[in-house]
Amino acid sequence: MDNKNVEIQSNDDSSKMAKNIQKLMEWSYDKSLNGLPQMDSAEELANNYLSKHKNSEDAIKALIKTQNMKAATSGFLTGLGGVIALPVAIPASVGSLLYVQTRMVAAIAHIRGYNLKDDQVKTLVFVSLTGNAAADVLRNVGIDISKKITMSYIKRKLSGEVLKKINRLVGFRLLTKTGSTGVINLTKAVPLLGGIVGGTFDASSTYVVGKVAKKQLFNQSPTFTV
């Protein structure tokens, strides 16, 4: 096989893996909203932390800390993998980690007052999963999160095909993890073969994902004005 064909095969494999990640993102969000056996939904999780802390900031800090500890505990992710049925053929630990991070960010959004049923909010949750790459992902569609932006502005900018584009970008970003960005490291992943996808995971990325959600994407109420 010549170099050109190898490159095409590599691109095809990456595209398939990115599509699988997108399916897993959708699954994780759905389960975050509706819950899993023995697991609170994102809303229930958020309300639980709000009831135990004097304000939303403290609740979010505690939430991130606890979810980071869970993600760092391989036994927790393995146990969680035993009660979930993933929509794609990838290791349960991948789905478990992505679910933990998605539910955490959705809970942060709920604490801030966002409607988790909004498509724009769902996409912003997905963007959070890319960690430190979140700003670059949104910059590709003309949104600068370094500036204060209203939810009405987000709704105008993130509509129709733009949402689909961002979701695709997130899928590929999660396959090109560098440092503290994202979940899956493509350099240590093998091509999709026989239903098995190899990957490596960095539990510390959960902290980064939570920090980005807290400070950049869901850093104020959706009803604030500028």
Side-chain angles (χ1 to χ4, degrees), residues 95-170:
S96 298
L97 182 57
L98 197 62
Y99 165 73
V100 167
Q101 294 182 349
T102 301
R103 187 180 68 144
M104 174 186 68
V105 176
I108 291 172
H110 179 75
I111 290 173
R112 292 293 197 206
Y114 288 81
N115 183 355
L116 298 182
K117 294 183 179 180
D118 282 352
D119 288 339
Q120 291 83 0
V121 172
K122 177 172 72 171
T123 290
L124 289 179
V125 170
F126 290 160
V127 172
S128 297
L129 299 176
T130 66
N132 290 331
D136 290 335
V137 171
L138 290 179
R139 195 173 293 119
N140 278 316
V141 294
I143 295 177
D144 183 359
I145 60 175
S146 67
K147 301 176 181 178
K148 288 186 176 181
I149 50 179
T150 64
M151 192 59 193
S152 60
Y153 172 78
I154 289 293
K155 283 182 173 292
R156 288 198 305 270
K157 295 289 288 187
L158 302 186
S159 60
E161 291 302 314
V162 177
L163 289 175
K164 294 179 181 179
K165 178 181 179 181
I166 293 175
N167 292 346
R168 287 194 298 268
L169 286 172
V170 170

Side-chain angles (χ1 to χ4, degrees), residues 21 50 58 109 144 156 173 220:
I21 293 300
L50 280 171
D58 288 348
D144 183 359
R156 288 198 305 270
R173 283 285 185 171
Q220 65 267 311

